[in-house]
Every structure is written in C-alpha cells, then in structure tokens.
Amino acid sequence: TLIITTEYPLPLTGTIPPLDGDDTMPFGEYELEIVEVLDGDCELLGGVSTAYIHRVVSSLYQPGIDGVGPRSKPVPTLEQICQGLVVEIEEGTLVDTEQFTKVIHNDMMFQGLGVDTLREMNDRANRKVEESGPSSDNDNDDEDDNQPTKVT
C-alpha cells in the first residue's frame, strides 16, 4: 500500500491505541517507510511543494466483517452520542462549545441535512427566542443577561 502526503511526511512508526467500545478493532504498532520525495512547483500558491510517497511496511489491516475490504470505525447510536454528551457536561469537560457546535454542523452536512435544513432549524430557534421574550435569569450583573440570544 502506498500513501502520498504533501508538505509533511507521516510518522514512520507509531502505536494505534485500542478503540473504546470495540475490542475487535485492531490496535498496536505500525511502520511506514519513505519511498520517494518529490519537489514541484505549486502554481496555486507559488513556491515549491513537496510530496512524500510512503510504503506501508507493517499495518493493522484486518478484513471487514464480510472478509473483504478494510474495517471501519463503528458508528455510535444517537443514544450513545447523547449519553457521552451528558457525561461531558456533568464532568465539566465540554468546555469548548464553539468546537462542539462546529462538529455538530459538520456532522449534519456529512449526513446530508444541508444548508436548507440548518436555515429552517435556525429560523425555528430564533422564533422561539423571540416568542419567549427576556430571560428571567438574574444570577449575575451583566446588563445583557435579559436579552434573548439569536441563533445564527
């Protein structure tokens, strides 16, 4: 198997940790070697671009369930995703809400929900905020606490 990267080579050796929730997924050591390094003009950005061609010396490849093709990471159920989210909230580890929102947005795009679905959801959320009026949360002294927040 050959792997081609640009600008940066991959780590030539490493360890893949076990996958939580799937003891059948392979894990352990892997090894690559660089077969060739090619430099060429980058017409898009200018300058020189470098391509690294790696060969897999040893890998964790195991055939999929049907005995053909690579295995894939199992897709968690909606219940498992929500349970993980609740645990993160309770443990206080869900601290980067902007990153969380980006991941949800990208997942929605990947699942084919598209921009129109997001617009509908945003419009629905904005209507709810406008209908609910000012918040009754007065736990701190920020003047903006009583203003509804629009979802954009």
Side-chain angles (χ1 to χ4, degrees), residues 17-22 24-26 64-65 70-76:
L19 180 64
D20 289 340
D22 187 357
T24 65
M25 187 63 93
I65 293 172
R71 293 190 36 150
S72 58
K73 183 176 177 178
V75 178

Side-chain angles (χ1 to χ4, degrees), residues 13 46 65 67 79 91 97 99 109 111 113 119 121 123-124 134:
T13 60
I65 293 172
E79 182 178 319
E91 292 176 349
T97 54
Q99 176 63 26
M109 290 295 136
Q111 296 297 331
L113 295 176
R119 281 193 191 116
M121 292 172 66
D123 291 345
R124 196 173 316 134

Side-chain angles (χ1 to χ4, degrees), residues 132-143:
S132 67
S135 170
S136 60
D137 181 15
N138 291 325
D139 289 344
N140 60 35
D141 296 322
D142 285 350
E143 292 177 16

Side-chain angles (χ1 to χ4, degrees), residues 6-8 40-50:
T6 58
E7 308 316 326
Y8 300 99
D41 293 331
C42 180
E43 293 183 19
L44 183 62
L45 300 173
V48 175
S49 187
T50 304

